[in-house]
Amino acid sequence: MVRINGKSIVKGIAIGRIMKFSKSENQVKREKINDIESEIKRYETANAEAKKQLNTLHEKALKEVGESGAAIFEVHEMMLEDDDYMDSVKNIIRTQEVNAEFAVATTGDNFSELFASMDDEYMKARAADVKDISERLIRILSGSSAETDAMNEPVIIMAEDLAPSETVQMDKEKLLAFVTRLGSSNSHTAILARTMNIPALINVDISDDWNGKTAIVDGYNGTLIIDPTEEVLKLMEARQKEDQENQQLLQDLKGKENITLDGHEINVYANIGNVSDVAHALSNDAGGIGLFRSEFLYLGTDDFPSEEEQFKAYRTVAENMAGKKVIIRTLDIGADKQADYFNLDKEENPAMGYRAIRICLSQPEIFKTQLRALLRASAFGNISIMFPMIISLEEVKQIREILSQVKKSLDEQEIVYHDVEIGVMIETPAAVMISDELAKEVDFFSIGTNDLTQYTLAIDRQNPKLDAFYDSHHPAILKMIKQVVDNGHKEGCWVGICGELAADLTLTKTFLEMGIDELSVSPSSILSLRKTIRETTLN
Ligand code: PEP
Ligand code: MG
């Protein structure tokens, strides 16, 4: 047994086999295709091959483990023949003009989310089966064999570093934990791990020799244990069980208000990165979506998502949230979130570079496509639009101008949309200082403490060496938050926090006393935040 120290970025215990992450594996790339019919044929051929494989497996299992053990392969075969499943794959290929692998992966995700959210235990269990058949199809389509398929059981991923675009594409059902050598607590990969609620360690001196070994990730103590002894394994399993029991206790808070002992209420919303996170937000009783990082729709693909694809994603989120507020942030690409097809230059200081609203305002066609998709989706729920990295009033005016052009073109085409609330992220010191003026232009503010800390303290949030200096409790940050709340309220703007600090329970009381109206946190933090709010009395 070996014990290695690292830095924990997500608490929790994971026990399982380590798998070295290799950059080319585990990812289904979205590719544009020209010949739709031959792509559909490719899918049909793969489907037939999958059925053949399952048939063989069924026969083998019948001989080796009997009827009940073999039945699962029959279920899988039936799923492969399901009309809804097949239609969905073909529709995605047709309407989005994409490769069969991508269409199967998307369908697999959607269907398994659907099953997972059902009340019936039997149906819930089918989520894993849908994933399984989708993976089989993808393996066949991409020519890799089941034996070499790296992620056919839940694993602890070990990597030098993980980019957000890699993390976002991983199959969450198969991820037990992350262990990386590089990375920082405030990076988007860390944020994604929190959103997925999987234990994660950074700064671990990883070794290729661990590949395939059993390990324990202890996110409470920041340690990784390789080849644990029976005794340690038992101890950690007990700890894991305790965790699950505590989670269970929090479930009692579902349906309860976010109200302090002396009657102050606050909204608690969820931060999400993609459509499938909505199920997680709902199962944790989110009052709304406070931040949908829309740029994740642009990552891990080889071309811009079309208006139609975006529309469908935003509409699905809005519909699933059933009238609850859904705040969608426009594209915040750049810095650590890179997509090749944007052709962004390498920059000396990417965090202070060409990113987010700066790209949108200088390439209005990209921006307009997104705004059209957002406005169209607004007819299907309660969508608000929020803009990142704002530093000036001029930017907000330009945004309003572009937005009115988009609305005009929708009017001309008689396409309906709702009157959406408009907000800005307050994540630069400049935005804080002019928040009195910005408040006159928008309906709400959402404070991005991740970037606000980075820009105020002059600390690169990506640099692991600076983690110890990255102090979000710095008085400068807290004073700024208070200033933004006061300036916002003077003009009737509501003010929320959607940076990671919102989930910091040691500051919950402070935020309530400041008059913050909303806290938006990763779905798994919602109920513990509610618990803290309900145990608080304001001064
Ligand atoms: C922030 O900066 O606090 C924020 C919420 O945005 P992101 O973490 O995506 O930069
Ligand atoms: Mg930010």
Side-chain angles (χ1 to χ4, degrees):
M1 182 174 92
V2 192
R3 226 180 251 271
I4 298 100
N5 287 331
K7 180 168 186 212
S8 169
I9 51 170
V10 186
K11 294 198 165 50
I13 309 278
I15 305 175
R17 204 168 56 83
I18 291 201
M19 196 198 88
K20 181 167 182 266
F21 177 74
S22 106
K23 300 269 167 197
S24 59
E25 282 172 315
N26 319 319
Q27 297 179 17
V28 173
K29 278 241 178 311
R30 177 184 179 282
E31 280 160 21
K32 265 247 166 318
I33 46 115
N34 297 321
D35 189 346
I36 290 175
E37 290 318 314
S38 76
E39 200 61 17
I40 287 178
K41 187 106 211 89
R42 210 162 74 77
Y43 160 63
E44 286 170 343
T45 314
N47 206 45
E49 170 59 25
K51 272 191 246 167
K52 224 163 82 193
Q53 287 183 359
L54 286 166
N55 220 298
T56 315
L57 283 170
H58 183 236
E59 306 270 296
K60 188 167 177 274
L62 260 184
K63 275 191 215 122
E64 291 173 5
V65 292
E67 191 78 58
S68 61
I72 189 65
F73 298 113
E74 253 176 349
V75 173
H76 284 194
E77 255 189 277
M78 270 155 54
M79 282 181 161
L80 278 175
E81 283 164 3
D82 180 74
D83 283 341
D84 289 340
Y85 185 93
M86 292 200 293
D87 287 350
S88 164
V89 175
K90 290 180 191 170
N91 264 337
I92 292 174
I93 296 177
R94 269 207 183 93
T95 55
Q96 302 185 22
E97 296 171 20
V98 288
N99 51 325
E101 287 89 333
F102 181 80
V104 168
T106 309
T107 301
D109 282 350
N110 292 343
F111 277 60
S112 81
E113 280 299 328
L114 197 75
F115 280 125
S117 65
M118 289 182 178
D119 260 349
D120 182 309
E121 283 308 312
Y122 176 82
M123 296 311 278
K124 252 194 197 353
R126 302 285 70 79
D129 296 323
V130 161
K131 283 263 175 199
D132 219 335
I133 61 153
S134 307
E135 276 153 21
R136 182 173 298 284
L137 284 167
I138 293 167
R139 280 199 299 268
I140 296 168
L141 284 162
S142 57
S144 69
S145 72
E147 287 72 30
T148 57
D149 178 34
M151 284 179 81
N152 50 14
E153 62 170 285
V155 288
I156 296 168
I157 290 283
M158 167 179 83
E160 278 298 311
D161 196 8
L162 289 168
S165 59
E166 289 162 342
T167 317
V168 83
Q169 287 178 83
M170 284 185 184
D171 178 354
K172 291 175 211 164
E173 307 288 320
K174 299 282 173 72
L175 261 184
L176 294 173
F178 288 133
V179 177
T180 62
R181 186 191 302 279
L182 305 173
S184 81
S185 317
N186 309 296
S187 68
H188 283 94
T189 298
I191 290 171
L192 279 169
R194 267 174 227 131
T195 307
M196 298 180 197
N197 194 27
I198 53 168
L201 300 180
I202 55 173
N203 300 352
V204 177
D205 194 9
I206 59 168
S207 151
D208 283 358
D209 296 346
W210 301 342
N211 199 20
K213 292 195 168 166
T214 300
I216 300 172
V217 174
D218 178 354
Y220 291 103
N221 292 312
T223 49
L224 173 71
I225 305 167
I226 312 285
D227 283 336
T229 59
E230 270 304 305
E231 198 187 351
V232 169
L233 202 58
K234 276 219 178 75
L235 206 76
M236 296 312 270
E237 277 168 354
R239 183 74 210 271
Q240 204 175 29
K241 192 151 165 264
E242 198 183 305
D243 256 11
Q244 282 156 2
E245 284 162 4
N246 285 339
Q247 278 303 319
Q248 204 49 45
L249 284 179
L250 285 176
Q251 300 300 307
D252 290 347
L253 290 171
K254 281 194 190 170
K256 302 240 163 91
E257 293 166 312
N258 304 302
I259 192 164
T260 61
L261 290 169
D262 51 343
H264 288 83
E265 247 187 293
I266 186 165
N267 289 318
V268 177
Y269 292 173
N271 291 348
I272 61 167
N274 58 49
V275 178
S276 59
D277 292 335
V278 173
H280 202 191
L282 284 172
S283 65
N284 283 286
D285 206 18
I289 301 295
L291 168 65
F292 177 2
R293 289 181 163 94
S294 71
E295 58 276 10
F296 288 122
L297 296 176
Y298 293 70
L299 297 182
T301 66
D302 64 359
D303 204 353
F304 292 98
S306 65
E307 176 185 323
E308 206 53 32
E309 280 170 64
Q310 292 191 56
F311 162 67
K312 282 191 188 137
Y314 306 145
R315 174 183 169 166
T316 307
V317 175
E319 282 181 338
N320 286 334
M321 291 306 291
K324 290 181 176 166
K325 202 183 269 299
V326 173
I327 302 173
I328 303 179
R329 172 173 81 183
T330 59
L331 181 62
D332 184 7
I333 207 110
D336 61 328
K337 290 174 285 195
Q338 292 286 341
D340 291 347
Y341 58 87
F342 272 85
N343 288 321
L344 300 176
D345 293 333
K346 269 241 163 316
E347 293 177 302
E348 282 290 316
N349 291 302
M352 296 198 282
Y354 186 56
R355 57 173 287 198
I357 200 69
R358 300 166 186 181
I359 296 181
C360 289
L361 291 177
S362 55
Q363 299 190 57
E365 288 320 310
I366 299 176
F367 196 30
K368 282 183 183 169
T369 303
Q370 181 168 38
L371 292 176
R372 265 183 76 92
L374 283 167
L375 286 172
R376 283 174 56 200
S378 71
F380 297 88
N382 182 6
I383 286 182
S384 305
I385 308 179
M386 170 159 86
F387 302 95
M389 285 291 291
I390 295 298
I391 56 164
S392 73
L393 218 51
E394 188 49 37
E395 285 168 342
V396 179
K397 288 187 178 146
Q398 280 181 44
I399 290 167
R400 285 217 173 267
E401 171 55 30
I402 294 174
L403 198 60
S404 68
Q405 288 170 16
V406 173
K407 284 184 178 171
K408 191 160 166 257
S409 88
L410 289 173
D411 290 340
E412 281 162 7
Q413 294 172 280
E414 295 181 7
I415 295 174
V416 284
Y417 55 88
H418 284 174
D419 210 10
V420 295
E421 271 196 351
I422 298 295
V424 287
M425 294 211 44
I426 303 289
E427 51 184 347
T428 63
V432 174
M433 298 312 288
I434 60 164
S435 52
D436 52 343
E437 294 172 62
L438 288 171
K440 297 189 178 107
E441 301 291 327
V442 296
D443 302 303
F444 67 94
F445 287 153
S446 190
I447 305 175
T449 49
N450 308 336
D451 277 320
L452 187 59
T453 306
Q454 148 162 280
Y455 297 125
T456 305
L457 305 186
I459 285 178
D460 178 359
R461 66 193 264 197
Q462 290 296 117
N463 187 337
K465 283 209 184 92
L466 299 177
D467 257 9
F469 296 93
Y470 185 95
D471 174 16
S472 309
H473 288 217
H474 193 291
I477 305 296
L478 298 179
K479 279 186 190 172
M480 283 176 155
I481 295 174
K482 175 72 176 132
Q483 188 177 336
V484 172
V485 173
D486 292 346
N487 283 339
H489 285 176
K490 260 184 229 147
E491 297 296 336
C493 256
W494 64 263
V495 181
I497 301 179
C498 63
E500 297 296 287
L501 204 61
D504 186 330
L505 303 181
T506 63
L507 286 175
T508 307
K509 186 172 174 185
T510 308
F511 293 150
L512 282 156
E513 284 172 353
M514 285 179 176
I516 286 281
D517 303 289
E518 174 244 21
L519 293 169
S520 191
V521 298
S522 62
S524 54
S525 300
I526 291 174
L527 294 175
S528 48
L529 177 55
R530 177 170 299 165
K531 182 168 182 285
T532 303
I533 294 166
R534 293 174 65 84
E535 290 165 357
T536 300
T537 308
L538 302 195
N539 289 332

